[in-house]
Amino acid sequence: MVTVHVEGIPERRLHRSGPVALAAKAFGAIPPPALVLLGVVSVQIGAAVAKQLFTLAGAAGTVTLRLVLAAAILLVVWRPSLRLDRRTYAVVLGYGLVLGAMNLSFYQAIKHIPLGAAVTIEFLGPLAVAVIGSRRWLDGVWALLAAAGVLLLTRVDGGLALPGVLFAAGAGACWAGYILLTAALGSRTSDGKGLALAMVVGAAVALPFGVAEAGTMLLDPVVLVAGGAVALLSSVIPYSLELEALRKIPPRVFGILMSLEPAVAALAGLVLLHEALHPAQWVAVFCVVLASVGATRTAGPDV
């Protein structure tokens, strides 16, 4: 089942402290489903803002700004210790590598294809985690529905640029790996300390690509401010919202709400980037959403 976001946090094992505690109090009066949906909207608005930044810093430069600034914020919030055993270091390293690769791939994808299409294709990663290994015929139906949706998405209205499709698929594969590493990270680190360290690794992965593409433009004040907005919208705000929501609702409900992400991404692309999808592509998006909701809703208790 899908229980974590595309930018991701360890699940219920995260506890609140410092600024996160203050944010949780502010969010406490908001119904948990609304918190999740607000987090989804925040992430997709952040992606739309990031895409508009491509003209100044490029895709790699933008993702570098996002990860570096998000890492800085998380380090200040959680103040993690470096006293870890070898296995924990291995998990943090693997998690950070996947995180960096996922974001680099996703930003390259939205450089070539509409935001809604990229998120829809990327969402095959967590959906695969939900259905692979299942022996129930119904999960096979959900997988076929999702595959049909993506096939329709890439074929209608002249199709999508192949590089964008491949990068989105790569981001989806990284997302699947990220989900599998989340449990290990959560079991070996406390609060958000492991996430903060992993974000540093992810930033280090992206940094050479960002510097090569954007150079000194990464230090431009306008670019830094925009990059900070992307880091807040795509990482810090959603993490805080999801932390509060996961305290109050079952993971399965959380997963169902997260399944709306491809549709929200398509709407964000339409409203903020004027990326209009063909009617048949909207059908494709909702096929993937329905498949994800179905796979999550019917998943066994151990998923």
Side-chain angles (χ1 to χ4, degrees):
M1 128 174 208
V2 181
T3 57
V4 292
H5 193 272
V6 76
E7 313 310 343
I9 57 172
E11 298 176 57
R12 292 175 180 266
R13 297 178 181 87
L14 288 176
H15 304 290
R16 300 168 298 165
S17 63
V20 178
L22 295 176
K25 290 181 180 179
F27 300 144
I30 304 176
L35 291 175
V36 179
L37 293 177
L38 285 172
V40 170
V41 171
S42 179
V43 166
Q44 299 311 325
I45 291 176
V49 173
K51 188 165 184 176
Q52 292 173 324
L53 190 56
F54 286 1
T55 56
L56 294 176
T62 301
V63 74
T64 297
L65 281 173
R66 172 190 167 179
L67 294 179
V68 168
L69 293 174
I73 293 170
L74 289 171
L75 286 174
V76 170
V77 170
W78 294 111
R79 299 186 297 276
S81 170
L82 295 178
R83 295 179 180 177
L84 306 174
D85 59 63
R86 287 186 179 181
R87 291 187 178 181
T88 302
Y89 267 120
V91 171
V92 168
L93 179 62
Y95 190 97
L97 290 173
V98 169
L99 188 67
M102 178 175 67
N103 282 280
L104 282 169
S105 298
F106 177 70
Y107 276 47
Q108 288 296 328
I110 64 175
K111 177 180 177 180
H112 295 283
I113 61 178
L115 176 61
V119 173
T120 300
I121 296 170
E122 184 193 28
F123 216 75
L124 292 182
L127 182 59
V129 173
V131 301
I132 287 178
S134 173
R135 297 182 179 180
R136 297 181 306 120
W137 66 269
L138 189 56
D139 283 333
V141 173
W142 301 132
L144 289 174
L145 179 62
V150 171
L151 182 63
L152 180 62
L153 181 70
T154 57
R155 291 297 183 90
V156 300
D157 197 28
L160 300 173
L162 182 59
V165 173
L166 294 178
F167 276 119
C174 290
W175 195 355
Y178 159 81
I179 290 173
L180 296 176
L181 285 167
T182 295
L185 184 72
S187 66
R188 291 190 168 274
T189 61
S190 61
D191 300 321
K193 294 178 174 60
L195 174 64
L197 292 174
M199 190 69 72
V200 172
V201 175
V205 170
L207 188 60
F209 297 95
V211 171
E213 182 171 17
T216 57
M217 184 59 69
L218 294 175
L219 302 178
D220 182 271
V222 173
V223 173
L224 282 172
V225 170
V230 172
L232 287 171
L233 288 168
S234 297
S235 298
V236 179
I237 292 175
Y239 296 161
S240 300
L241 293 170
E242 291 169 4
L243 280 169
E244 183 65 19
L246 280 167
R247 294 182 63 248
K248 300 177 180 178
I249 58 176
R252 182 173 299 182
V253 175
F254 179 78
I256 290 173
L257 292 169
M258 289 298 299
S259 298
L260 298 174
E261 190 159 1
V264 174
L267 286 172
L270 176 63
V271 174
L272 300 177
L273 301 172
H274 308 293
E275 295 176 340
L277 297 181
H278 188 279
Q281 290 178 316
W282 278 102
V283 173
V285 169
F286 283 106
C287 282
V288 175
V289 170
L290 180 60
S292 181
V293 170
T296 302
R297 185 176 178 81
T298 60
D302 59 339
V303 177

